[in-house]
Amino acid sequence: VKTVYPGIVSDVGAGAAILHGALTAILYNVDINLKGISDAMEFREASTTRQDLQRKGDELAYFIQKETGVKIAKAK
């Protein structure tokens, strides 16, 4: 968001919000599919990967939301 032309910062923020929602929706599908994994090690690996993806997505979404708000507040 730091290098974004001020006139489209809201578009970047909106796009990031949509992508975050899409990631969360996809991970709900992963959650239900995890229940079908019977091998304990495979389940742990897949579950850990799922949690890491959600955490990274949440962190990026928060950062972009915060930066977008700052840029919009500074816009003239």
Side-chain angles (χ1 to χ4, degrees):
V1 176
K2 291 180 181 181
T3 60
V4 172
Y5 174 71
I8 63 165
V9 72
S10 62
D11 298 320
V12 171
I18 290 168
L19 288 172
H20 183 249
L23 172 66
T24 301
I26 289 167
L27 293 176
Y28 288 150
N29 287 318
V30 171
D31 291 339
I32 197 69
N33 290 327
L34 284 171
K35 295 183 178 291
I37 299 175
S38 57
D39 181 84
M41 182 179 285
E42 186 179 341
F43 175 84
R44 276 194 306 275
E45 289 176 8
S47 182
T48 298
T49 298
R50 183 260 184 258
Q51 294 302 322
D52 288 345
L53 288 169
Q54 185 72 66
R55 180 184 48 77
K56 289 175 186 176
D58 291 348
E59 289 171 359
L60 285 169
Y62 175 77
F63 173 78
I64 293 169
Q65 177 186 15
K66 188 173 104 179
E67 289 296 313
T68 299
V70 168
K71 295 283 188 185
I72 289 172
K74 290 180 180 180
K76 295 179 180 187

